[in-house]
PDB file of all heavy atoms in Angstrom:
ATOM      1  N   THR A   1      14.011 -13.446   4.045  1.00 93.00           N
ATOM      2  CA  THR A   1      15.357 -12.965   3.718  1.00 93.00           C
ATOM      3  C   THR A   1      16.330 -14.121   3.609  1.00 93.00           C
ATOM      4  O   THR A   1      17.133 -14.201   2.671  1.00 93.00           O
ATOM      5  CB  THR A   1      15.850 -11.973   4.787  1.00 93.00           C
ATOM      6  OG1 THR A   1      15.016 -10.823   4.765  1.00 93.00           O
ATOM      7  CG2 THR A   1      17.294 -11.562   4.534  1.00 93.00           C
ATOM      8  N   SER A   2      16.265 -15.042   4.552  1.00 91.00           N
ATOM      9  CA  SER A   2      17.151 -16.200   4.535  1.00 91.00           C
ATOM     10  C   SER A   2      16.967 -17.015   3.264  1.00 91.00           C
ATOM     11  O   SER A   2      17.943 -17.462   2.640  1.00 91.00           O
ATOM     12  CB  SER A   2      16.878 -17.077   5.764  1.00 91.00           C
ATOM     13  OG  SER A   2      17.713 -18.209   5.772  1.00 91.00           O
ATOM     14  N   ARG A   3      15.724 -17.175   2.842  1.00 94.00           N
ATOM     15  CA  ARG A   3      15.457 -17.973   1.639  1.00 94.00           C
ATOM     16  C   ARG A   3      15.917 -17.235   0.381  1.00 94.00           C
ATOM     17  O   ARG A   3      16.477 -17.853  -0.534  1.00 94.00           O
ATOM     18  CB  ARG A   3      13.969 -18.307   1.556  1.00 94.00           C
ATOM     19  CG  ARG A   3      13.479 -19.183   2.694  1.00 94.00           C
ATOM     20  CD  ARG A   3      12.105 -19.736   2.437  1.00 94.00           C
ATOM     21  NE  ARG A   3      11.612 -20.496   3.586  1.00 94.00           N
ATOM     22  CZ  ARG A   3      10.555 -21.302   3.559  1.00 94.00           C
ATOM     23  NH1 ARG A   3       9.883 -21.462   2.424  1.00 94.00           N
ATOM     24  NH2 ARG A   3      10.171 -21.938   4.641  1.00 94.00           N
ATOM     25  N   ILE A   4      15.689 -15.930   0.339  1.00 95.00           N
ATOM     26  CA  ILE A   4      16.070 -15.166  -0.846  1.00 95.00           C
ATOM     27  C   ILE A   4      17.582 -15.096  -0.994  1.00 95.00           C
ATOM     28  O   ILE A   4      18.123 -15.266  -2.087  1.00 95.00           O
ATOM     29  CB  ILE A   4      15.465 -13.741  -0.784  1.00 95.00           C
ATOM     30  CG1 ILE A   4      13.949 -13.816  -0.977  1.00 95.00           C
ATOM     31  CG2 ILE A   4      16.099 -12.831  -1.842  1.00 95.00           C
ATOM     32  CD1 ILE A   4      13.228 -12.508  -0.740  1.00 95.00           C
ATOM     33  N   THR A   5      18.275 -14.863   0.104  1.00 91.00           N
ATOM     34  CA  THR A   5      19.735 -14.768   0.016  1.00 91.00           C
ATOM     35  C   THR A   5      20.380 -16.115  -0.239  1.00 91.00           C
ATOM     36  O   THR A   5      21.555 -16.186  -0.613  1.00 91.00           O
ATOM     37  CB  THR A   5      20.329 -14.149   1.293  1.00 91.00           C
ATOM     38  OG1 THR A   5      19.932 -14.919   2.442  1.00 91.00           O
ATOM     39  CG2 THR A   5      19.846 -12.708   1.478  1.00 91.00           C
ATOM     40  N   SER A   6      19.626 -17.188  -0.047  1.00 88.00           N
ATOM     41  CA  SER A   6      20.142 -18.525  -0.325  1.00 88.00           C
ATOM     42  C   SER A   6      19.959 -18.920  -1.786  1.00 88.00           C
ATOM     43  O   SER A   6      20.520 -19.910  -2.247  1.00 88.00           O
ATOM     44  CB  SER A   6      19.446 -19.571   0.559  1.00 88.00           C
ATOM     45  OG  SER A   6      19.731 -19.349   1.926  1.00 88.00           O
ATOM     46  N   LEU A   7      19.136 -18.148  -2.485  1.00 84.00           N
ATOM     47  CA  LEU A   7      18.907 -18.457  -3.894  1.00 84.00           C
ATOM     48  C   LEU A   7      20.185 -18.236  -4.681  1.00 84.00           C
ATOM     49  O   LEU A   7      20.914 -17.273  -4.467  1.00 84.00           O
ATOM     50  CB  LEU A   7      17.810 -17.549  -4.468  1.00 84.00           C
ATOM     51  CG  LEU A   7      16.406 -17.682  -3.876  1.00 84.00           C
ATOM     52  CD1 LEU A   7      15.499 -16.606  -4.457  1.00 84.00           C
ATOM     53  CD2 LEU A   7      15.840 -19.063  -4.164  1.00 84.00           C
ATOM     54  N   SER A   8      20.448 -19.115  -5.602  1.00 52.00           N
ATOM     55  CA  SER A   8      21.613 -18.913  -6.471  1.00 52.00           C
ATOM     56  C   SER A   8      21.259 -17.854  -7.496  1.00 52.00           C
ATOM     57  O   SER A   8      20.101 -17.652  -7.835  1.00 52.00           O
ATOM     58  CB  SER A   8      21.985 -20.221  -7.176  1.00 52.00           C
ATOM     59  OG  SER A   8      20.917 -20.688  -7.970  1.00 52.00           O
ATOM     60  N   ALA A   9      22.261 -17.170  -7.981  1.00 43.00           N
ATOM     61  CA  ALA A   9      22.043 -16.163  -9.015  1.00 43.00           C
ATOM     62  C   ALA A   9      21.897 -16.881 -10.350  1.00 43.00           C
ATOM     63  O   ALA A   9      22.765 -16.841 -11.217  1.00 43.00           O
ATOM     64  CB  ALA A   9      23.213 -15.183  -9.057  1.00 43.00           C
ATOM     65  N   ALA A  10      20.772 -17.568 -10.490  1.00 43.00           N
ATOM     66  CA  ALA A  10      20.553 -18.381 -11.686  1.00 43.00           C
ATOM     67  C   ALA A  10      20.240 -17.492 -12.872  1.00 43.00           C
ATOM     68  O   ALA A  10      19.642 -16.431 -12.720  1.00 43.00           O
ATOM     69  CB  ALA A  10      19.383 -19.342 -11.445  1.00 43.00           C
ATOM     70  N   PRO A  11      20.646 -17.898 -14.063  1.00 43.00           N
ATOM     71  CA  PRO A  11      20.335 -17.109 -15.251  1.00 43.00           C
ATOM     72  C   PRO A  11      18.842 -17.076 -15.497  1.00 43.00           C
ATOM     73  O   PRO A  11      18.127 -18.039 -15.198  1.00 43.00           O
ATOM     74  CB  PRO A  11      21.070 -17.848 -16.372  1.00 43.00           C
ATOM     75  CG  PRO A  11      21.220 -19.246 -15.874  1.00 43.00           C
ATOM     76  CD  PRO A  11      21.407 -19.114 -14.390  1.00 43.00           C
ATOM     77  N   GLY A  12      18.343 -15.991 -16.044  1.00 44.00           N
ATOM     78  CA  GLY A  12      16.916 -15.866 -16.323  1.00 44.00           C
ATOM     79  C   GLY A  12      16.516 -16.707 -17.515  1.00 44.00           C
ATOM     80  O   GLY A  12      17.343 -17.236 -18.249  1.00 44.00           O
ATOM     81  N   ASP A  13      15.201 -16.826 -17.721  1.00 40.00           N
ATOM     82  CA  ASP A  13      14.742 -17.616 -18.841  1.00 40.00           C
ATOM     83  C   ASP A  13      14.907 -16.850 -20.146  1.00 40.00           C
ATOM     84  O   ASP A  13      15.220 -15.683 -20.175  1.00 40.00           O
ATOM     85  CB  ASP A  13      13.281 -18.054 -18.647  1.00 40.00           C
ATOM     86  CG  ASP A  13      12.358 -16.865 -18.420  1.00 40.00           C
ATOM     87  OD1 ASP A  13      12.617 -15.804 -19.020  1.00 40.00           O
ATOM     88  OD2 ASP A  13      11.392 -17.005 -17.651  1.00 40.00           O
ATOM     89  N   ALA A  14      14.677 -17.538 -21.239  1.00 37.00           N
ATOM     90  CA  ALA A  14      14.934 -16.944 -22.545  1.00 37.00           C
ATOM     91  C   ALA A  14      14.066 -15.726 -22.784  1.00 37.00           C
ATOM     92  O   ALA A  14      14.490 -14.753 -23.414  1.00 37.00           O
ATOM     93  CB  ALA A  14      14.681 -17.993 -23.638  1.00 37.00           C
ATOM     94  N   ALA A  15      12.829 -15.760 -22.288  1.00 41.00           N
ATOM     95  CA  ALA A  15      11.929 -14.631 -22.504  1.00 41.00           C
ATOM     96  C   ALA A  15      12.466 -13.384 -21.834  1.00 41.00           C
ATOM     97  O   ALA A  15      12.415 -12.284 -22.388  1.00 41.00           O
ATOM     98  CB  ALA A  15      10.532 -14.971 -21.963  1.00 41.00           C
ATOM     99  N   ASP A  16      12.959 -13.551 -20.605  1.00 43.00           N
ATOM    100  CA  ASP A  16      13.514 -12.400 -19.898  1.00 43.00           C
ATOM    101  C   ASP A  16      14.712 -11.845 -20.647  1.00 43.00           C
ATOM    102  O   ASP A  16      14.876 -10.635 -20.788  1.00 43.00           O
ATOM    103  CB  ASP A  16      13.938 -12.806 -18.481  1.00 43.00           C
ATOM    104  CG  ASP A  16      12.738 -13.028 -17.582  1.00 43.00           C
ATOM    105  OD1 ASP A  16      11.660 -12.531 -17.930  1.00 43.00           O
ATOM    106  OD2 ASP A  16      12.897 -13.694 -16.546  1.00 43.00           O
ATOM    107  N   SER A  17      15.589 -12.720 -21.122  1.00 34.00           N
ATOM    108  CA  SER A  17      16.792 -12.288 -21.807  1.00 34.00           C
ATOM    109  C   SER A  17      16.447 -11.554 -23.090  1.00 34.00           C
ATOM    110  O   SER A  17      17.060 -10.544 -23.434  1.00 34.00           O
ATOM    111  CB  SER A  17      17.680 -13.506 -22.126  1.00 34.00           C
ATOM    112  OG  SER A  17      18.085 -14.127 -20.934  1.00 34.00           O
ATOM    113  N   ALA A  18      15.446 -12.050 -23.814  1.00 37.00           N
ATOM    114  CA  ALA A  18      15.053 -11.404 -25.061  1.00 37.00           C
ATOM    115  C   ALA A  18      14.483 -10.031 -24.798  1.00 37.00           C
ATOM    116  O   ALA A  18      14.730  -9.072 -25.531  1.00 37.00           O
ATOM    117  CB  ALA A  18      14.016 -12.274 -25.789  1.00 37.00           C
ATOM    118  N   SER A  19      13.692  -9.928 -23.720  1.00 40.00           N
ATOM    119  CA  SER A  19      13.107  -8.646 -23.368  1.00 40.00           C
ATOM    120  C   SER A  19      14.176  -7.623 -23.037  1.00 40.00           C
ATOM    121  O   SER A  19      14.101  -6.462 -23.434  1.00 40.00           O
ATOM    122  CB  SER A  19      12.155  -8.826 -22.178  1.00 40.00           C
ATOM    123  OG  SER A  19      11.653  -7.583 -21.751  1.00 40.00           O
ATOM    124  N   LEU A  20      15.179  -8.054 -22.268  1.00 33.00           N
ATOM    125  CA  LEU A  20      16.258  -7.151 -21.889  1.00 33.00           C
ATOM    126  C   LEU A  20      17.053  -6.713 -23.109  1.00 33.00           C
ATOM    127  O   LEU A  20      17.426  -5.554 -23.245  1.00 33.00           O
ATOM    128  CB  LEU A  20      17.185  -7.844 -20.884  1.00 33.00           C
ATOM    129  CG  LEU A  20      16.616  -8.073 -19.492  1.00 33.00           C
ATOM    130  CD1 LEU A  20      17.625  -8.843 -18.651  1.00 33.00           C
ATOM    131  CD2 LEU A  20      16.264  -6.763 -18.823  1.00 33.00           C
ATOM    132  N   ALA A  21      17.293  -7.643 -24.011  1.00 36.00           N
ATOM    133  CA  ALA A  21      18.087  -7.317 -25.190  1.00 36.00           C
ATOM    134  C   ALA A  21      17.365  -6.325 -26.080  1.00 36.00           C
ATOM    135  O   ALA A  21      17.992  -5.519 -26.777  1.00 36.00           O
ATOM    136  CB  ALA A  21      18.391  -8.596 -25.973  1.00 36.00           C
ATOM    137  N   ALA A  22      16.031  -6.362 -26.061  1.00 36.00           N
ATOM    138  CA  ALA A  22      15.250  -5.480 -26.920  1.00 36.00           C
ATOM    139  C   ALA A  22      15.158  -4.071 -26.372  1.00 36.00           C
ATOM    140  O   ALA A  22      14.769  -3.146 -27.081  1.00 36.00           O
ATOM    141  CB  ALA A  22      13.839  -6.054 -27.103  1.00 36.00           C
ATOM    142  N   ASP A  23      15.476  -3.901 -25.118  1.00 41.00           N
ATOM    143  CA  ASP A  23      15.372  -2.594 -24.483  1.00 41.00           C
ATOM    144  C   ASP A  23      16.702  -1.871 -24.581  1.00 41.00           C
ATOM    145  O   ASP A  23      17.679  -2.264 -23.974  1.00 41.00           O
ATOM    146  CB  ASP A  23      14.971  -2.770 -23.012  1.00 41.00           C
ATOM    147  CG  ASP A  23      14.646  -1.431 -22.356  1.00 41.00           C
ATOM    148  OD1 ASP A  23      15.011  -0.387 -22.927  1.00 41.00           O
ATOM    149  OD2 ASP A  23      14.042  -1.457 -21.272  1.00 41.00           O
ATOM    150  N   ALA A  24      16.729  -0.792 -25.323  1.00 31.00           N
ATOM    151  CA  ALA A  24      17.997  -0.086 -25.564  1.00 31.00           C
ATOM    152  C   ALA A  24      18.547   0.563 -24.314  1.00 31.00           C
ATOM    153  O   ALA A  24      19.724   0.911 -24.259  1.00 31.00           O
ATOM    154  CB  ALA A  24      17.794   0.977 -26.649  1.00 31.00           C
ATOM    155  N   THR A  25      17.705   0.746 -23.314  1.00 33.00           N
ATOM    156  CA  THR A  25      18.163   1.398 -22.083  1.00 33.00           C
ATOM    157  C   THR A  25      18.751   0.410 -21.101  1.00 33.00           C
ATOM    158  O   THR A  25      19.227   0.802 -20.045  1.00 33.00           O
ATOM    159  CB  THR A  25      17.003   2.140 -21.402  1.00 33.00           C
ATOM    160  OG1 THR A  25      16.035   1.193 -20.968  1.00 33.00           O
ATOM    161  CG2 THR A  25      16.366   3.131 -22.354  1.00 33.00           C
ATOM    162  N   VAL A  26      18.679  -0.872 -21.422  1.00 36.00           N
ATOM    163  CA  VAL A  26      19.167  -1.910 -20.517  1.00 36.00           C
ATOM    164  C   VAL A  26      20.505  -2.410 -21.011  1.00 36.00           C
ATOM    165  O   VAL A  26      20.716  -2.621 -22.185  1.00 36.00           O
ATOM    166  CB  VAL A  26      18.156  -3.078 -20.429  1.00 36.00           C
ATOM    167  CG1 VAL A  26      18.705  -4.170 -19.524  1.00 36.00           C
ATOM    168  CG2 VAL A  26      16.833  -2.579 -19.905  1.00 36.00           C
ATOM    169  N   SER A  27      21.436  -2.597 -20.088  1.00 37.00           N
ATOM    170  CA  SER A  27      22.776  -3.034 -20.470  1.00 37.00           C
ATOM    171  C   SER A  27      22.771  -4.491 -20.883  1.00 37.00           C
ATOM    172  O   SER A  27      21.818  -5.227 -20.653  1.00 37.00           O
ATOM    173  CB  SER A  27      23.735  -2.855 -19.303  1.00 37.00           C
ATOM    174  OG  SER A  27      23.449  -3.793 -18.313  1.00 37.00           O
ATOM    175  N   ALA A  28      23.875  -4.930 -21.488  1.00 35.00           N
ATOM    176  CA  ALA A  28      24.000  -6.324 -21.896  1.00 35.00           C
ATOM    177  C   ALA A  28      24.054  -7.237 -20.691  1.00 35.00           C
ATOM    178  O   ALA A  28      23.753  -8.420 -20.761  1.00 35.00           O
ATOM    179  CB  ALA A  28      25.255  -6.504 -22.740  1.00 35.00           C
ATOM    180  N   GLU A  29      24.454  -6.690 -19.547  1.00 42.00           N
ATOM    181  CA  GLU A  29      24.511  -7.491 -18.323  1.00 42.00           C
ATOM    182  C   GLU A  29      23.123  -7.598 -17.735  1.00 42.00           C
ATOM    183  O   GLU A  29      22.517  -6.618 -17.355  1.00 42.00           O
ATOM    184  CB  GLU A  29      25.435  -6.835 -17.298  1.00 42.00           C
ATOM    185  CG  GLU A  29      25.486  -7.612 -15.996  1.00 42.00           C
ATOM    186  CD  GLU A  29      26.240  -6.869 -14.914  1.00 42.00           C
ATOM    187  OE1 GLU A  29      26.403  -5.655 -15.042  1.00 42.00           O
ATOM    188  OE2 GLU A  29      26.639  -7.524 -13.941  1.00 42.00           O
ATOM    189  N   SER A  30      22.563  -8.794 -17.685  1.00 46.00           N
ATOM    190  CA  SER A  30      21.229  -8.999 -17.147  1.00 46.00           C
ATOM    191  C   SER A  30      21.213  -8.798 -15.647  1.00 46.00           C
ATOM    192  O   SER A  30      22.188  -9.056 -14.959  1.00 46.00           O
ATOM    193  CB  SER A  30      20.754 -10.425 -17.466  1.00 46.00           C
ATOM    194  OG  SER A  30      19.601 -10.747 -16.716  1.00 46.00           O
ATOM    195  N   ALA A  31      20.033  -8.354 -15.140  1.00 45.00           N
ATOM    196  CA  ALA A  31      19.879  -8.219 -13.691  1.00 45.00           C
ATOM    197  C   ALA A  31      20.058  -9.554 -13.008  1.00 45.00           C
ATOM    198  O   ALA A  31      20.405  -9.630 -11.839  1.00 45.00           O
ATOM    199  CB  ALA A  31      18.491  -7.652 -13.377  1.00 45.00           C
ATOM    200  N   ASP A  32      19.818 -10.663 -13.761  1.00 50.00           N
ATOM    201  CA  ASP A  32      19.910 -11.992 -13.180  1.00 50.00           C
ATOM    202  C   ASP A  32      21.348 -12.400 -12.889  1.00 50.00           C
ATOM    203  O   ASP A  32      21.587 -13.417 -12.253  1.00 50.00           O
ATOM    204  CB  ASP A  32      19.272 -13.009 -14.123  1.00 50.00           C
ATOM    205  CG  ASP A  32      17.796 -12.733 -14.345  1.00 50.00           C
ATOM    206  OD1 ASP A  32      17.157 -12.129 -13.470  1.00 50.00           O
ATOM    207  OD2 ASP A  32      17.303 -13.114 -15.408  1.00 50.00           O
ATOM    208  N   ASP A  33      22.305 -11.637 -13.392  1.00 67.00           N
ATOM    209  CA  ASP A  33      23.699 -11.972 -13.157  1.00 67.00           C
ATOM    210  C   ASP A  33      24.139 -11.620 -11.742  1.00 67.00           C
ATOM    211  O   ASP A  33      25.219 -12.002 -11.310  1.00 67.00           O
ATOM    212  CB  ASP A  33      24.608 -11.242 -14.164  1.00 67.00           C
ATOM    213  CG  ASP A  33      24.382 -11.731 -15.585  1.00 67.00           C
ATOM    214  OD1 ASP A  33      23.983 -12.901 -15.752  1.00 67.00           O
ATOM    215  OD2 ASP A  33      24.586 -10.941 -16.513  1.00 67.00           O
ATOM    216  N   ARG A  34      23.332 -10.879 -11.033  1.00 78.00           N
ATOM    217  CA  ARG A  34      23.675 -10.433  -9.681  1.00 78.00           C
ATOM    218  C   ARG A  34      22.853 -11.191  -8.651  1.00 78.00           C
ATOM    219  O   ARG A  34      21.695 -11.511  -8.895  1.00 78.00           O
ATOM    220  CB  ARG A  34      23.384  -8.940  -9.509  1.00 78.00           C
ATOM    221  CG  ARG A  34      24.145  -8.012 -10.436  1.00 78.00           C
ATOM    222  CD  ARG A  34      23.602  -6.598 -10.280  1.00 78.00           C
ATOM    223  NE  ARG A  34      24.297  -5.673 -11.148  1.00 78.00           N
ATOM    224  CZ  ARG A  34      25.381  -4.984 -10.808  1.00 78.00           C
ATOM    225  NH1 ARG A  34      25.880  -5.142  -9.603  1.00 78.00           N
ATOM    226  NH2 ARG A  34      25.961  -4.156 -11.646  1.00 78.00           N
ATOM    227  N   PRO A  35      23.417 -11.431  -7.478  1.00 89.00           N
ATOM    228  CA  PRO A  35      22.592 -11.994  -6.399  1.00 89.00           C
ATOM    229  C   PRO A  35      21.607 -10.942  -5.903  1.00 89.00           C
ATOM    230  O   PRO A  35      21.893  -9.747  -5.932  1.00 89.00           O
ATOM    231  CB  PRO A  35      23.618 -12.333  -5.312  1.00 89.00           C
ATOM    232  CG  PRO A  35      24.749 -11.385  -5.558  1.00 89.00           C
ATOM    233  CD  PRO A  35      24.811 -11.214  -7.052  1.00 89.00           C
ATOM    234  N   THR A  36      20.440 -11.386  -5.500  1.00 94.00           N
ATOM    235  CA  THR A  36      19.468 -10.461  -4.927  1.00 94.00           C
ATOM    236  C   THR A  36      19.896 -10.083  -3.515  1.00 94.00           C
ATOM    237  O   THR A  36      20.219 -10.946  -2.706  1.00 94.00           O
ATOM    238  CB  THR A  36      18.070 -11.108  -4.889  1.00 94.00           C
ATOM    239  OG1 THR A  36      17.646 -11.376  -6.222  1.00 94.00           O
ATOM    240  CG2 THR A  36      17.071 -10.186  -4.210  1.00 94.00           C
ATOM    241  N   ARG A  37      19.899  -8.805  -3.240  1.00 94.00           N
ATOM    242  CA  ARG A  37      20.288  -8.318  -1.913  1.00 94.00           C
ATOM    243  C   ARG A  37      19.041  -7.801  -1.187  1.00 94.00           C
ATOM    244  O   ARG A  37      18.112  -7.294  -1.820  1.00 94.00           O
ATOM    245  CB  ARG A  37      21.343  -7.231  -2.031  1.00 94.00           C
ATOM    246  CG  ARG A  37      22.547  -7.676  -2.864  1.00 94.00           C
ATOM    247  CD  ARG A  37      23.652  -6.645  -2.875  1.00 94.00           C
ATOM    248  NE  ARG A  37      24.674  -6.961  -3.859  1.00 94.00           N
ATOM    249  CZ  ARG A  37      25.633  -7.863  -3.702  1.00 94.00           C
ATOM    250  NH1 ARG A  37      25.687  -8.554  -2.578  1.00 94.00           N
ATOM    251  NH2 ARG A  37      26.515  -8.097  -4.655  1.00 94.00           N
ATOM    252  N   VAL A  38      19.038  -7.936   0.127  1.00 95.00           N
ATOM    253  CA  VAL A  38      17.859  -7.592   0.926  1.00 95.00           C
ATOM    254  C   VAL A  38      18.194  -6.484   1.923  1.00 95.00           C
ATOM    255  O   VAL A  38      19.215  -6.543   2.606  1.00 95.00           O
ATOM    256  CB  VAL A  38      17.326  -8.824   1.683  1.00 95.00           C
ATOM    257  CG1 VAL A  38      16.112  -8.442   2.536  1.00 95.00           C
ATOM    258  CG2 VAL A  38      16.965  -9.945   0.702  1.00 95.00           C
ATOM    259  N   ILE A  39      17.312  -5.500   1.978  1.00 95.00           N
ATOM    260  CA  ILE A  39      17.366  -4.474   3.025  1.00 95.00           C
ATOM    261  C   ILE A  39      16.152  -4.669   3.926  1.00 95.00           C
ATOM    262  O   ILE A  39      15.014  -4.635   3.453  1.00 95.00           O
ATOM    263  CB  ILE A  39      17.342  -3.052   2.445  1.00 95.00           C
ATOM    264  CG1 ILE A  39      18.567  -2.798   1.563  1.00 95.00           C
ATOM    265  CG2 ILE A  39      17.275  -2.014   3.568  1.00 95.00           C
ATOM    266  CD1 ILE A  39      18.549  -1.438   0.864  1.00 95.00           C
ATOM    267  N   ILE A  40      16.388  -4.922   5.189  1.00 92.00           N
ATOM    268  CA  ILE A  40      15.303  -5.020   6.158  1.00 92.00           C
ATOM    269  C   ILE A  40      14.842  -3.611   6.527  1.00 92.00           C
ATOM    270  O   ILE A  40      15.642  -2.756   6.893  1.00 92.00           O
ATOM    271  CB  ILE A  40      15.755  -5.765   7.431  1.00 92.00           C
ATOM    272  CG1 ILE A  40      16.088  -7.233   7.111  1.00 92.00           C
ATOM    273  CG2 ILE A  40      14.687  -5.672   8.525  1.00 92.00           C
ATOM    274  CD1 ILE A  40      14.896  -8.082   6.752  1.00 92.00           C
ATOM    275  N   LEU A  41      13.543  -3.379   6.417  1.00 90.00           N
ATOM    276  CA  LEU A  41      12.943  -2.102   6.804  1.00 90.00           C
ATOM    277  C   LEU A  41      11.880  -2.384   7.860  1.00 90.00           C
ATOM    278  O   LEU A  41      10.918  -3.100   7.586  1.00 90.00           O
ATOM    279  CB  LEU A  41      12.299  -1.419   5.596  1.00 90.00           C
ATOM    280  CG  LEU A  41      13.205  -0.570   4.710  1.00 90.00           C
ATOM    281  CD1 LEU A  41      12.483  -0.202   3.421  1.00 90.00           C
ATOM    282  CD2 LEU A  41      13.609   0.704   5.444  1.00 90.00           C
ATOM    283  N   THR A  42      12.054  -1.841   9.047  1.00 84.00           N
ATOM    284  CA  THR A  42      11.122  -2.146  10.123  1.00 84.00           C
ATOM    285  C   THR A  42      10.856  -0.928  10.994  1.00 84.00           C
ATOM    286  O   THR A  42      11.649   0.015  11.028  1.00 84.00           O
ATOM    287  CB  THR A  42      11.666  -3.300  10.992  1.00 84.00           C
ATOM    288  OG1 THR A  42      10.741  -3.597  12.032  1.00 84.00           O
ATOM    289  CG2 THR A  42      13.012  -2.920  11.606  1.00 84.00           C
ATOM    290  N   THR A  43       9.733  -0.969  11.679  1.00 82.00           N
ATOM    291  CA  THR A  43       9.388   0.079  12.642  1.00 82.00           C
ATOM    292  C   THR A  43      10.112  -0.145  13.962  1.00 82.00           C
ATOM    293  O   THR A  43      10.308   0.790  14.736  1.00 82.00           O
ATOM    294  CB  THR A  43       7.865   0.067  12.904  1.00 82.00           C
ATOM    295  OG1 THR A  43       7.185   0.164  11.656  1.00 82.00           O
ATOM    296  CG2 THR A  43       7.450   1.227  13.808  1.00 82.00           C
ATOM    297  N   PHE A  44      10.529  -1.383  14.192  1.00 69.00           N
ATOM    298  CA  PHE A  44      11.032  -1.782  15.498  1.00 69.00           C
ATOM    299  C   PHE A  44      12.554  -1.854  15.521  1.00 69.00           C
ATOM    300  O   PHE A  44      13.146  -2.726  14.879  1.00 69.00           O
ATOM    301  CB  PHE A  44      10.428  -3.129  15.903  1.00 69.00           C
ATOM    302  CG  PHE A  44       8.925  -3.140  15.795  1.00 69.00           C
ATOM    303  CD1 PHE A  44       8.311  -3.671  14.665  1.00 69.00           C
ATOM    304  CD2 PHE A  44       8.145  -2.597  16.791  1.00 69.00           C
ATOM    305  CE1 PHE A  44       6.934  -3.664  14.545  1.00 69.00           C
ATOM    306  CE2 PHE A  44       6.759  -2.588  16.684  1.00 69.00           C
ATOM    307  CZ  PHE A  44       6.156  -3.121  15.559  1.00 69.00           C
ATOM    308  N   ASP A  45      13.164  -0.965  16.260  1.00 64.00           N
ATOM    309  CA  ASP A  45      14.625  -0.912  16.364  1.00 64.00           C
ATOM    310  C   ASP A  45      15.075  -1.835  17.491  1.00 64.00           C
ATOM    311  O   ASP A  45      15.484  -1.396  18.562  1.00 64.00           O
ATOM    312  CB  ASP A  45      15.060   0.530  16.629  1.00 64.00           C
ATOM    313  CG  ASP A  45      16.572   0.694  16.581  1.00 64.00           C
ATOM    314  OD1 ASP A  45      17.242  -0.238  16.101  1.00 64.00           O
ATOM    315  OD2 ASP A  45      17.076   1.737  17.027  1.00 64.00           O
TER     316      ASP A  45
END
């Protein structure tokens, strides 16, 4: 989690962008524009 939340919201590569643009159900805003958020799920409270 610490490593993932430290990642910068870097733009995706050209292949990813082209794929997103070709999908009519996907918005112009790429998923890569957002920081990745983490939900911890555990058995142990």
Side-chain angles (χ1 to χ4, degrees):
T1 296
S2 180
R3 296 192 184 193
I4 290 172
T5 57
S6 296
L7 296 174
S8 60
D13 56 35
D16 287 341
S17 298
S19 176
L20 290 176
D23 188 344
T25 65
V26 178
S27 71
E29 178 188 19
S30 167
D32 298 334
D33 294 332
R34 300 172 180 269
T36 297
R37 306 185 191 281
V38 179
I39 298 175
I40 294 291
L41 275 169
T42 180
T43 306
F44 308 98
D45 187 13

